mmCIF file with all atom_site columns, all heavy atoms in Angstrom:
data_model
loop_
_atom_site.group_PDB
_atom_site.id
_atom_site.type_symbol
_atom_site.label_atom_id
_atom_site.label_alt_id
_atom_site.label_comp_id
_atom_site.label_asym_id
_atom_site.label_entity_id
_atom_site.label_seq_id
_atom_site.pdbx_PDB_ins_code
_atom_site.Cartn_x
_atom_site.Cartn_y
_atom_site.Cartn_z
_atom_site.occupancy
_atom_site.B_iso_or_equiv
_atom_site.pdbx_formal_charge
_atom_site.auth_seq_id
_atom_site.auth_comp_id
_atom_site.auth_asym_id
_atom_site.auth_atom_id
_atom_site.pdbx_PDB_model_num
ATOM 1   N N   . MET A 1 1   ? -5.926  -17.123 6.222   1.00 0.00 ? 20  MET A N   1
ATOM 2   C CA  . MET A 1 1   ? -5.784  -15.759 6.763   1.00 0.00 ? 20  MET A CA  1
ATOM 3   C C   . MET A 1 1   ? -4.843  -14.902 5.832   1.00 0.00 ? 20  MET A C   1
ATOM 4   O O   . MET A 1 1   ? -3.800  -15.342 5.479   1.00 0.00 ? 20  MET A O   1
ATOM 5   C CB  . MET A 1 1   ? -5.120  -15.835 8.136   1.00 0.00 ? 20  MET A CB  1
ATOM 6   C CG  . MET A 1 1   ? -6.054  -16.316 9.193   1.00 0.00 ? 20  MET A CG  1
ATOM 7   S SD  . MET A 1 1   ? -7.227  -15.094 9.751   1.00 0.00 ? 20  MET A SD  1
ATOM 8   C CE  . MET A 1 1   ? -6.206  -14.017 10.692  1.00 0.00 ? 20  MET A CE  1
ATOM 9   N N   . GLY A 1 12  ? 2.631   13.838  1.621   1.00 0.00 ? 31  GLY A N   1
ATOM 10  C CA  . GLY A 1 12  ? 2.083   13.563  0.343   1.00 0.00 ? 31  GLY A CA  1
ATOM 11  C C   . GLY A 1 12  ? 3.199   13.418  -0.682  1.00 0.00 ? 31  GLY A C   1
ATOM 12  O O   . GLY A 1 12  ? 4.346   13.855  -0.486  1.00 0.00 ? 31  GLY A O   1
ATOM 13  N N   . LYS A 1 16  ? 2.834   6.495   -2.120  1.00 0.00 ? 35  LYS A N   1
ATOM 14  C CA  . LYS A 1 16  ? 1.926   5.561   -1.507  1.00 0.00 ? 35  LYS A CA  1
ATOM 15  C C   . LYS A 1 16  ? 1.016   4.829   -2.459  1.00 0.00 ? 35  LYS A C   1
ATOM 16  O O   . LYS A 1 16  ? 0.926   3.619   -2.430  1.00 0.00 ? 35  LYS A O   1
ATOM 17  C CB  . LYS A 1 16  ? 1.080   6.270   -0.430  1.00 0.00 ? 35  LYS A CB  1
ATOM 18  C CG  . LYS A 1 16  ? 1.771   6.678   0.852   1.00 0.00 ? 35  LYS A CG  1
ATOM 19  C CD  . LYS A 1 16  ? 0.800   7.224   1.900   1.00 0.00 ? 35  LYS A CD  1
ATOM 20  C CE  . LYS A 1 16  ? 0.120   8.451   1.432   1.00 0.00 ? 35  LYS A CE  1
ATOM 21  N NZ  . LYS A 1 16  ? 0.997   9.591   1.259   1.00 0.00 ? 35  LYS A NZ  1
ATOM 22  N N   . VAL A 1 37  ? -7.190  -2.113  -1.015  1.00 0.00 ? 56  VAL A N   1
ATOM 23  C CA  . VAL A 1 37  ? -8.279  -1.337  -0.382  1.00 0.00 ? 56  VAL A CA  1
ATOM 24  C C   . VAL A 1 37  ? -7.848  0.137   -0.489  1.00 0.00 ? 56  VAL A C   1
ATOM 25  O O   . VAL A 1 37  ? -6.788  0.560   0.008   1.00 0.00 ? 56  VAL A O   1
ATOM 26  C CB  . VAL A 1 37  ? -8.325  -1.709  1.148   1.00 0.00 ? 56  VAL A CB  1
ATOM 27  C CG1 . VAL A 1 37  ? -9.427  -0.821  1.851   1.00 0.00 ? 56  VAL A CG1 1
ATOM 28  C CG2 . VAL A 1 37  ? -8.704  -3.145  1.317   1.00 0.00 ? 56  VAL A CG2 1
ATOM 29  N N   . ALA A 1 39  ? -8.189  3.489   0.774   1.00 0.00 ? 58  ALA A N   1
ATOM 30  C CA  . ALA A 1 39  ? -8.669  4.201   1.948   1.00 0.00 ? 58  ALA A CA  1
ATOM 31  C C   . ALA A 1 39  ? -8.264  5.685   1.889   1.00 0.00 ? 58  ALA A C   1
ATOM 32  O O   . ALA A 1 39  ? -8.040  6.271   2.926   1.00 0.00 ? 58  ALA A O   1
ATOM 33  C CB  . ALA A 1 39  ? -8.076  3.535   3.222   1.00 0.00 ? 58  ALA A CB  1
ATOM 34  N N   . ILE A 1 49  ? -6.284  2.051   -11.218 1.00 0.00 ? 68  ILE A N   1
ATOM 35  C CA  . ILE A 1 49  ? -6.383  0.670   -11.598 1.00 0.00 ? 68  ILE A CA  1
ATOM 36  C C   . ILE A 1 49  ? -7.547  0.464   -12.594 1.00 0.00 ? 68  ILE A C   1
ATOM 37  O O   . ILE A 1 49  ? -7.953  -0.657  -12.968 1.00 0.00 ? 68  ILE A O   1
ATOM 38  C CB  . ILE A 1 49  ? -6.508  -0.240  -10.329 1.00 0.00 ? 68  ILE A CB  1
ATOM 39  C CG1 . ILE A 1 49  ? -6.002  -1.659  -10.588 1.00 0.00 ? 68  ILE A CG1 1
ATOM 40  C CG2 . ILE A 1 49  ? -7.942  -0.315  -9.778  1.00 0.00 ? 68  ILE A CG2 1
ATOM 41  C CD1 . ILE A 1 49  ? -4.496  -1.765  -10.660 1.00 0.00 ? 68  ILE A CD1 1
ATOM 42  N N   . ASP A 1 52  ? -13.673 4.428   -12.562 1.00 0.00 ? 71  ASP A N   1
ATOM 43  C CA  . ASP A 1 52  ? -14.092 5.841   -12.385 1.00 0.00 ? 71  ASP A CA  1
ATOM 44  C C   . ASP A 1 52  ? -14.802 5.969   -10.990 1.00 0.00 ? 71  ASP A C   1
ATOM 45  O O   . ASP A 1 52  ? -15.890 5.435   -10.839 1.00 0.00 ? 71  ASP A O   1
ATOM 46  C CB  . ASP A 1 52  ? -15.074 6.240   -13.473 1.00 0.00 ? 71  ASP A CB  1
ATOM 47  C CG  . ASP A 1 52  ? -15.464 7.721   -13.410 1.00 0.00 ? 71  ASP A CG  1
ATOM 48  O OD1 . ASP A 1 52  ? -15.129 8.381   -12.375 1.00 0.00 ? 71  ASP A OD1 1
ATOM 49  O OD2 . ASP A 1 52  ? -16.053 8.212   -14.351 1.00 0.00 ? 71  ASP A OD2 1
ATOM 50  N N   . ASN A 1 58  ? -20.867 1.245   -4.364  1.00 0.00 ? 77  ASN A N   1
ATOM 51  C CA  . ASN A 1 58  ? -20.495 0.760   -3.033  1.00 0.00 ? 77  ASN A CA  1
ATOM 52  C C   . ASN A 1 58  ? -18.938 0.854   -2.920  1.00 0.00 ? 77  ASN A C   1
ATOM 53  O O   . ASN A 1 58  ? -18.252 0.271   -3.780  1.00 0.00 ? 77  ASN A O   1
ATOM 54  C CB  . ASN A 1 58  ? -20.961 -0.681  -2.810  1.00 0.00 ? 77  ASN A CB  1
ATOM 55  C CG  . ASN A 1 58  ? -22.469 -0.779  -2.572  1.00 0.00 ? 77  ASN A CG  1
ATOM 56  O OD1 . ASN A 1 58  ? -23.041 0.144   -2.008  1.00 0.00 ? 77  ASN A OD1 1
ATOM 57  N ND2 . ASN A 1 58  ? -23.062 -1.814  -3.097  1.00 0.00 ? 77  ASN A ND2 1
ATOM 58  N N   . ALA A 1 70  ? -18.205 -6.144  2.580   1.00 0.00 ? 89  ALA A N   1
ATOM 59  C CA  . ALA A 1 70  ? -17.015 -5.991  1.721   1.00 0.00 ? 89  ALA A CA  1
ATOM 60  C C   . ALA A 1 70  ? -17.238 -6.618  0.349   1.00 0.00 ? 89  ALA A C   1
ATOM 61  O O   . ALA A 1 70  ? -16.884 -6.093  -0.652  1.00 0.00 ? 89  ALA A O   1
ATOM 62  C CB  . ALA A 1 70  ? -15.772 -6.533  2.390   1.00 0.00 ? 89  ALA A CB  1
ATOM 63  N N   . ARG A 1 71  ? -17.825 -7.832  0.366   1.00 0.00 ? 90  ARG A N   1
ATOM 64  C CA  . ARG A 1 71  ? -18.005 -8.560  -0.881  1.00 0.00 ? 90  ARG A CA  1
ATOM 65  C C   . ARG A 1 71  ? -18.947 -7.840  -1.830  1.00 0.00 ? 90  ARG A C   1
ATOM 66  O O   . ARG A 1 71  ? -18.867 -8.006  -3.052  1.00 0.00 ? 90  ARG A O   1
ATOM 67  C CB  . ARG A 1 71  ? -18.519 -10.008 -0.571  1.00 0.00 ? 90  ARG A CB  1
ATOM 68  C CG  . ARG A 1 71  ? -17.497 -10.894 0.055   1.00 0.00 ? 90  ARG A CG  1
ATOM 69  C CD  . ARG A 1 71  ? -17.918 -12.328 0.146   1.00 0.00 ? 90  ARG A CD  1
ATOM 70  N NE  . ARG A 1 71  ? -16.875 -13.125 0.815   1.00 0.00 ? 90  ARG A NE  1
ATOM 71  C CZ  . ARG A 1 71  ? -16.831 -13.317 2.116   1.00 0.00 ? 90  ARG A CZ  1
ATOM 72  N NH1 . ARG A 1 71  ? -17.775 -12.873 2.876   1.00 0.00 ? 90  ARG A NH1 1
ATOM 73  N NH2 . ARG A 1 71  ? -15.877 -14.048 2.644   1.00 0.00 ? 90  ARG A NH2 1
ATOM 74  N N   . GLU A 1 72  ? -19.901 -7.070  -1.299  1.00 0.00 ? 91  GLU A N   1
ATOM 75  C CA  . GLU A 1 72  ? -20.846 -6.265  -2.168  1.00 0.00 ? 91  GLU A CA  1
ATOM 76  C C   . GLU A 1 72  ? -20.077 -5.135  -2.851  1.00 0.00 ? 91  GLU A C   1
ATOM 77  O O   . GLU A 1 72  ? -20.502 -4.666  -3.887  1.00 0.00 ? 91  GLU A O   1
ATOM 78  C CB  . GLU A 1 72  ? -21.942 -5.721  -1.304  1.00 0.00 ? 91  GLU A CB  1
ATOM 79  C CG  . GLU A 1 72  ? -22.950 -6.675  -0.863  1.00 0.00 ? 91  GLU A CG  1
ATOM 80  C CD  . GLU A 1 72  ? -24.065 -6.026  0.023   1.00 0.00 ? 91  GLU A CD  1
ATOM 81  O OE1 . GLU A 1 72  ? -24.993 -5.409  -0.544  1.00 0.00 ? 91  GLU A OE1 1
ATOM 82  O OE2 . GLU A 1 72  ? -23.898 -6.111  1.268   1.00 0.00 ? 91  GLU A OE2 1
ATOM 83  N N   . GLU A 1 97  ? -18.379 11.592  10.382  1.00 0.00 ? 116 GLU A N   1
ATOM 84  C CA  . GLU A 1 97  ? -19.477 10.663  10.700  1.00 0.00 ? 116 GLU A CA  1
ATOM 85  C C   . GLU A 1 97  ? -19.087 9.635   11.728  1.00 0.00 ? 116 GLU A C   1
ATOM 86  O O   . GLU A 1 97  ? -19.922 9.073   12.499  1.00 0.00 ? 116 GLU A O   1
ATOM 87  C CB  . GLU A 1 97  ? -20.013 10.020  9.400   1.00 0.00 ? 116 GLU A CB  1
ATOM 88  C CG  . GLU A 1 97  ? -20.567 11.047  8.483   1.00 0.00 ? 116 GLU A CG  1
ATOM 89  C CD  . GLU A 1 97  ? -21.060 10.353  7.176   1.00 0.00 ? 116 GLU A CD  1
ATOM 90  O OE1 . GLU A 1 97  ? -21.987 9.514   7.293   1.00 0.00 ? 116 GLU A OE1 1
ATOM 91  O OE2 . GLU A 1 97  ? -20.607 10.690  6.118   1.00 0.00 ? 116 GLU A OE2 1
ATOM 92  N N   . MET A 1 98  ? -17.789 9.293   11.761  1.00 0.00 ? 117 MET A N   1
ATOM 93  C CA  . MET A 1 98  ? -17.360 8.228   12.671  1.00 0.00 ? 117 MET A CA  1
ATOM 94  C C   . MET A 1 98  ? -17.108 8.666   14.076  1.00 0.00 ? 117 MET A C   1
ATOM 95  O O   . MET A 1 98  ? -16.960 7.843   15.024  1.00 0.00 ? 117 MET A O   1
ATOM 96  C CB  . MET A 1 98  ? -16.045 7.592   12.117  1.00 0.00 ? 117 MET A CB  1
ATOM 97  C CG  . MET A 1 98  ? -16.261 6.745   10.846  1.00 0.00 ? 117 MET A CG  1
ATOM 98  S SD  . MET A 1 98  ? -14.700 6.391   10.028  1.00 0.00 ? 117 MET A SD  1
ATOM 99  C CE  . MET A 1 98  ? -13.944 5.215   11.154  1.00 0.00 ? 117 MET A CE  1
ATOM 100 N N   . PRO A 1 128 ? -2.904  10.804  2.823   1.00 0.00 ? 147 PRO A N   1
ATOM 101 C CA  . PRO A 1 128 ? -1.743  11.518  3.334   1.00 0.00 ? 147 PRO A CA  1
ATOM 102 C C   . PRO A 1 128 ? -2.085  12.358  4.542   1.00 0.00 ? 147 PRO A C   1
ATOM 103 O O   . PRO A 1 128 ? -2.039  13.578  4.533   1.00 0.00 ? 147 PRO A O   1
ATOM 104 C CB  . PRO A 1 128 ? -1.324  12.429  2.120   1.00 0.00 ? 147 PRO A CB  1
ATOM 105 C CG  . PRO A 1 128 ? -2.575  12.598  1.380   1.00 0.00 ? 147 PRO A CG  1
ATOM 106 C CD  . PRO A 1 128 ? -3.404  11.390  1.539   1.00 0.00 ? 147 PRO A CD  1
ATOM 107 N N   . GLU A 1 179 ? 6.616   -3.366  8.456   1.00 0.00 ? 198 GLU A N   1
ATOM 108 C CA  . GLU A 1 179 ? 7.046   -4.292  7.372   1.00 0.00 ? 198 GLU A CA  1
ATOM 109 C C   . GLU A 1 179 ? 8.392   -3.796  6.804   1.00 0.00 ? 198 GLU A C   1
ATOM 110 O O   . GLU A 1 179 ? 9.298   -4.590  6.464   1.00 0.00 ? 198 GLU A O   1
ATOM 111 C CB  . GLU A 1 179 ? 5.984   -4.450  6.298   1.00 0.00 ? 198 GLU A CB  1
ATOM 112 C CG  . GLU A 1 179 ? 6.270   -5.494  5.253   1.00 0.00 ? 198 GLU A CG  1
ATOM 113 C CD  . GLU A 1 179 ? 5.967   -6.875  5.809   1.00 0.00 ? 198 GLU A CD  1
ATOM 114 O OE1 . GLU A 1 179 ? 5.119   -7.050  6.721   1.00 0.00 ? 198 GLU A OE1 1
ATOM 115 O OE2 . GLU A 1 179 ? 6.578   -7.864  5.347   1.00 0.00 ? 198 GLU A OE2 1
ATOM 116 N N   . GLY A 1 180 ? 8.497   -2.499  6.632   1.00 0.00 ? 199 GLY A N   1
ATOM 117 C CA  . GLY A 1 180 ? 9.736   -1.938  6.135   1.00 0.00 ? 199 GLY A CA  1
ATOM 118 C C   . GLY A 1 180 ? 9.551   -0.516  5.675   1.00 0.00 ? 199 GLY A C   1
ATOM 119 O O   . GLY A 1 180 ? 8.476   -0.012  5.427   1.00 0.00 ? 199 GLY A O   1
ATOM 120 N N   . SER A 1 202 ? 21.413  4.337   7.468   1.00 0.00 ? 221 SER A N   1
ATOM 121 C CA  . SER A 1 202 ? 22.163  4.453   8.746   1.00 0.00 ? 221 SER A CA  1
ATOM 122 C C   . SER A 1 202 ? 21.272  4.671   9.906   1.00 0.00 ? 221 SER A C   1
ATOM 123 O O   . SER A 1 202 ? 21.519  4.214   11.033  1.00 0.00 ? 221 SER A O   1
ATOM 124 C CB  . SER A 1 202 ? 23.208  5.593   8.592   1.00 0.00 ? 221 SER A CB  1
ATOM 125 O OG  . SER A 1 202 ? 22.553  6.855   8.525   1.00 0.00 ? 221 SER A OG  1
ATOM 126 N N   . ALA A 1 214 ? 13.145  3.107   -8.357  1.00 0.00 ? 233 ALA A N   1
ATOM 127 C CA  . ALA A 1 214 ? 13.815  4.187   -9.150  1.00 0.00 ? 233 ALA A CA  1
ATOM 128 C C   . ALA A 1 214 ? 12.691  4.991   -9.825  1.00 0.00 ? 233 ALA A C   1
ATOM 129 O O   . ALA A 1 214 ? 11.620  4.537   -10.081 1.00 0.00 ? 233 ALA A O   1
ATOM 130 C CB  . ALA A 1 214 ? 14.734  3.537   -10.170 1.00 0.00 ? 233 ALA A CB  1
ATOM 131 N N   . PRO A 1 223 ? -0.745  5.032   -14.506 1.00 0.00 ? 242 PRO A N   1
ATOM 132 C CA  . PRO A 1 223 ? -2.105  5.399   -13.965 1.00 0.00 ? 242 PRO A CA  1
ATOM 133 C C   . PRO A 1 223 ? -2.988  6.064   -14.995 1.00 0.00 ? 242 PRO A C   1
ATOM 134 O O   . PRO A 1 223 ? -4.163  5.983   -14.949 1.00 0.00 ? 242 PRO A O   1
ATOM 135 C CB  . PRO A 1 223 ? -1.758  6.323   -12.832 1.00 0.00 ? 242 PRO A CB  1
ATOM 136 C CG  . PRO A 1 223 ? -0.327  6.040   -12.421 1.00 0.00 ? 242 PRO A CG  1
ATOM 137 C CD  . PRO A 1 223 ? 0.346   5.619   -13.702 1.00 0.00 ? 242 PRO A CD  1
ATOM 138 N N   . VAL A 1 227 ? -3.887  1.253   -15.441 1.00 0.00 ? 246 VAL A N   1
ATOM 139 C CA  . VAL A 1 227 ? -3.337  -0.068  -15.254 1.00 0.00 ? 246 VAL A CA  1
ATOM 140 C C   . VAL A 1 227 ? -2.082  0.073   -14.367 1.00 0.00 ? 246 VAL A C   1
ATOM 141 O O   . VAL A 1 227 ? -1.503  1.172   -14.240 1.00 0.00 ? 246 VAL A O   1
ATOM 142 C CB  . VAL A 1 227 ? -2.914  -0.728  -16.589 1.00 0.00 ? 246 VAL A CB  1
ATOM 143 C CG1 . VAL A 1 227 ? -4.118  -1.040  -17.446 1.00 0.00 ? 246 VAL A CG1 1
ATOM 144 C CG2 . VAL A 1 227 ? -1.907  0.102   -17.398 1.00 0.00 ? 246 VAL A CG2 1
ATOM 145 N N   . TYR A 1 242 ? 9.121   -3.263  -8.580  1.00 0.00 ? 261 TYR A N   1
ATOM 146 C CA  . TYR A 1 242 ? 7.986   -3.679  -7.721  1.00 0.00 ? 261 TYR A CA  1
ATOM 147 C C   . TYR A 1 242 ? 7.882   -5.223  -7.643  1.00 0.00 ? 261 TYR A C   1
ATOM 148 O O   . TYR A 1 242 ? 7.461   -5.770  -6.612  1.00 0.00 ? 261 TYR A O   1
ATOM 149 C CB  . TYR A 1 242 ? 6.693   -3.033  -8.182  1.00 0.00 ? 261 TYR A CB  1
ATOM 150 C CG  . TYR A 1 242 ? 6.545   -1.647  -7.590  1.00 0.00 ? 261 TYR A CG  1
ATOM 151 C CD1 . TYR A 1 242 ? 6.692   -0.526  -8.361  1.00 0.00 ? 261 TYR A CD1 1
ATOM 152 C CD2 . TYR A 1 242 ? 6.342   -1.520  -6.236  1.00 0.00 ? 261 TYR A CD2 1
ATOM 153 C CE1 . TYR A 1 242 ? 6.654   0.753   -7.797  1.00 0.00 ? 261 TYR A CE1 1
ATOM 154 C CE2 . TYR A 1 242 ? 6.243   -0.246  -5.659  1.00 0.00 ? 261 TYR A CE2 1
ATOM 155 C CZ  . TYR A 1 242 ? 6.385   0.900   -6.452  1.00 0.00 ? 261 TYR A CZ  1
ATOM 156 O OH  . TYR A 1 242 ? 6.332   2.151   -5.844  1.00 0.00 ? 261 TYR A OH  1
ATOM 157 N N   . LYS A 1 257 ? 5.996   -19.516 -3.005  1.00 0.00 ? 276 LYS A N   1
ATOM 158 C CA  . LYS A 1 257 ? 5.451   -20.637 -3.798  1.00 0.00 ? 276 LYS A CA  1
ATOM 159 C C   . LYS A 1 257 ? 6.390   -21.028 -4.923  1.00 0.00 ? 276 LYS A C   1
ATOM 160 O O   . LYS A 1 257 ? 7.047   -20.051 -5.498  1.00 0.00 ? 276 LYS A O   1
ATOM 161 C CB  . LYS A 1 257 ? 4.129   -20.217 -4.417  1.00 0.00 ? 276 LYS A CB  1
ATOM 162 C CG  . LYS A 1 257 ? 3.019   -19.845 -3.471  1.00 0.00 ? 276 LYS A CG  1
ATOM 163 C CD  . LYS A 1 257 ? 1.777   -19.381 -4.277  1.00 0.00 ? 276 LYS A CD  1
ATOM 164 C CE  . LYS A 1 257 ? 0.625   -18.979 -3.375  1.00 0.00 ? 276 LYS A CE  1
ATOM 165 N NZ  . LYS A 1 257 ? -0.530  -18.497 -4.150  1.00 0.00 ? 276 LYS A NZ  1
#
Side-chain angles (χ1 to χ4, degrees):
M20 288 284 286
K35 284 187 297 296
V56 178
I68 208 73
D71 183 348
N77 288 324
R90 289 189 183 91
E91 288 178 81
E116 294 179 61
M117 289 166 71
E198 190 75 28
S221 67
V246 293
Y261 276 108
K276 297 178 181 177

